[in-house]
Amino acid sequence: MPKELTAKGQATRGRVIEAAAEVLRESGIEGVTLEDVMARSHTSKSQLFHYFPDGKDHLLLAVAQYEADQVLDVQQPYLGCPDSWEAWQQWRDVTVRHYEEQGERCLLGTLALYLGRSTPGARAVVIELMRRWQEYLAVGIRALRTAGHLPADLDVDERAAALLAAVQGGVMILQATGRADHLRAALDLAIGDLRRLGESAPAPAPGEDRARARG
């Protein structure tokens, strides 16, 4: 992002990115033009190149970052703070519903594939998204462990990684088949397995919850 943008400049840049995302969903990457984006965002060529001096690929990279942020935003407020099994079920439902509504089209994946041939930044966007997503899941699992719902010796990072893999695997199959059955099954089994581990977890001793939270 250009440094020291005014509030008006930030709003204009954001409007261009959102307009580009809309046009991309409608026309696809190969069909979209900067003229389409300018018309949709009601901006001039000079404005567009002020915010995206390297042109189309620069704009598409910004759209990829926007889409990556949206992936996490749609899972809020549940992602990262589910300290009960009911909250985890709500996160599961929100996640499945989002990808069912998205269907077979994933703009972020399409952008990463397209930009990856010439723009290393696209890969960095996806890597950072996965890092943040896994950390949110780890925070949620730690919250369960701190509340005494999971064993104290549970490998939180390993479980978070497996849960993220379950989501991504289910989403990939959904995009290939148009069906969300595999995503639902993967999340239900992953959360169910955590819950079964928690059924035998002893209640935390006084003061032990703080030690767990740091683990």
Side-chain angles (χ1 to χ4, degrees):
M1 179 183 295
K3 294 181 179 180
E4 299 181 357
L5 285 181
T6 64
K8 183 177 180 181
Q10 291 175 356
T12 301
R13 184 179 185 276
R15 189 169 75 247
V16 172
I17 293 171
E18 291 179 13
E22 292 174 1
V23 174
L24 282 165
R25 290 190 184 94
E26 295 170 4
S27 304
I29 290 179
E30 300 297 343
V32 71
T33 67
L34 295 180
E35 287 72 21
D36 294 331
V37 176
M38 287 185 283
R40 181 69 62 93
S41 61
H42 305 290
T43 52
S44 66
K45 188 173 184 179
S46 62
Q47 283 179 301
L48 191 146
F49 277 91
H50 171 69
Y51 299 111
F52 308 100
D54 294 331
K56 183 177 178 179
D57 279 2
H58 191 180
L59 173 58
L60 293 182
L61 183 58
V63 175
Q65 183 61 66
Y66 169 79
E67 288 295 313
D69 292 338
Q70 290 294 104
V71 168
L72 299 181
D73 287 346
V74 297
Q75 299 175 59
Q76 301 297 351
Y78 308 109
L79 183 63
C81 61
D83 59 357
S84 68
W85 297 118
E86 292 76 14
W88 274 93
Q89 184 65 35
Q90 290 174 315
W91 168 76
R92 175 266 191 204
D93 293 345
V94 165
T95 301
V96 171
R97 183 164 60 249
H98 166 68
Y99 283 107
E100 282 182 319
E101 292 172 353
Q102 177 179 277
E104 300 173 34
R105 301 182 65 180
C106 174
L107 184 54
L108 177 60
T110 303
L111 284 165
L113 181 63
Y114 174 83
L115 290 170
R117 295 194 295 264
S118 59
T119 310
R123 184 168 181 267
V125 167
V126 175
I127 290 173
E128 178 62 12
L129 167 62
M130 295 303 158
R131 186 198 67 78
R132 292 170 59 200
W133 199 345
Q134 182 172 327
E135 181 53 32
Y136 271 122
L137 292 170
V139 168
I141 295 171
R142 286 192 188 95
L144 283 175
R145 191 179 65 177
T146 299
H149 299 309
L150 289 171
D153 60 351
L154 181 75
D155 189 327
V156 172
D157 293 329
E158 181 181 60
R159 288 285 170 170
L163 191 51
L164 178 57
V167 176
Q168 289 299 300
V171 170
M172 287 183 64
I173 296 175
L174 186 157
Q175 290 166 0
T177 66
R179 299 180 57 179
D181 307 52
H182 300 82
L183 175 60
R184 283 193 292 268
L187 289 182
D188 288 345
L189 286 173
I191 295 173
D193 187 49
L194 277 175
R195 191 161 190 168
R196 282 189 292 275
L197 285 172
E199 289 174 353
S200 59
E208 187 179 356
D209 55 344
R210 292 184 181 180
R212 288 177 178 177
R214 292 193 297 268

